[in-house]
Amino acid sequence: MSITLLRQTMAALRLLLVMTVLTGIMYPLAVYSVSRLPGLSSSAEGSVVYHDGRAVGLENLGLDLVDPAAGDDPTADRYFHHRPSAAASAAEGLGPGDPYASGGSNLAGDSPASTELVHARAAAIAAREGVPVESVPPDAVTASASGLDPDISPAYAELQAARVARVTGLPEQRVRDLVAEHTQGRELGFLGGQTVNVLALNLAIAGLTSGEPAHGPG
């Protein structure tokens, strides 16, 4: 019995050693090596976006540009907002949130809590933008699975254009033109809908105004 147990123990230790080398060393090295290939390294690092020589966010991660002068006044916000995030500090889940935390609300779409949250978000956004609740688009009140979606719909961007123009002093038509310029088509021409990358749009706004952007989570 003791010899059999010893053989089994040694076999288990050998298997542990082999799997440690394969999955703990070789596999991570292989993945890292692939991420260094030309054309993949930028995406592997999160597609960092630079403005005036400093990193201000990631192309594929929802990070807001925050106006330090705005303080706690939501009507003094000069930039476009992302979709809601379950990691946001506001009760409605509106940004900015914590970029180190991601995930959905884990609420079913038909749950009373989810319905209440969507109505609260719609009311908060309508008040912020000065529009009827009925005009708030669906992606403005529903969070993505990760809560870090970098894009919004053109409809949500258009909804925010008047506020951005008012606060920044830019002509409203110029802001709407920027929204149109940053509107991207469907994936492969038929998947999903049109999108607007919020960070790219906000950097364009920052480039036309005297306000110095500061990066913050969203």
Side-chain angles (χ1 to χ4, degrees):
M1 178 66 71
S2 59
I3 297 178
T4 301
L5 180 60
L6 179 61
R7 289 176 178 176
Q8 292 176 343
T9 301
M10 294 305 297
L13 290 175
R14 287 194 295 270
L15 178 61
L16 175 62
L17 178 61
V18 170
M19 295 305 295
T20 298
V21 173
L22 288 176
T23 63
I25 299 176
M26 296 184 65
Y27 176 74
L29 285 177
V31 172
Y32 180 78
S33 298
V34 170
S35 72
R36 299 301 95 188
L37 293 176
L40 295 180
S41 58
S42 177
S43 296
E45 296 297 333
S47 301
V48 181
V49 176
Y50 293 90
H51 180 78
D52 290 339
R54 63 188 179 90
V56 294
L58 303 172
E59 181 181 345
N60 299 318
L61 189 66
L63 296 171
D64 282 344
L65 288 181
V66 178
D67 181 10
D72 295 327
D73 183 3
T75 64
D77 187 358
R78 69 173 56 231
Y79 295 119
F80 288 84
H81 286 267
H82 285 86
R83 294 177 63 185
S85 169
S89 56
E92 298 85 4
L94 302 180
D98 183 359
Y100 297 100
S102 64
S105 65
N106 294 325
L107 296 174
D110 59 351
S111 72
S114 177
T115 302
E116 181 179 350
L117 184 58
V118 166
H119 286 310
R121 287 170 176 167
I125 292 171
R128 185 185 72 203
E129 306 300 337
V131 298
V133 174
E134 295 76 16
S135 64
V136 177
D139 69 305
V141 296
T142 54
S144 63
S146 67
L148 298 174
D149 192 343
D151 304 317
I152 58 176
S153 67
Y156 190 24
E158 286 286 342
L159 184 75
Q160 302 180 67
R163 169 182 52 80
V164 172
R166 181 181 69 253
V167 176
T168 60
L170 293 171
E172 184 173 333
Q173 187 55 51
R174 181 70 181 104
V175 175
R176 296 189 183 280
D177 289 343
L178 285 176
V179 171
E181 292 172 14
H182 288 81
T183 298
Q184 304 169 349
R186 298 180 175 184
E187 293 289 337
L188 301 179
F190 67 94
L191 294 177
Q194 293 183 317
T195 59
V196 178
N197 187 277
V198 181
L199 179 59
L201 178 58
N202 282 340
L203 287 176
I205 294 294
L208 295 178
T209 61
S210 58
E212 180 66 21
H215 77 284

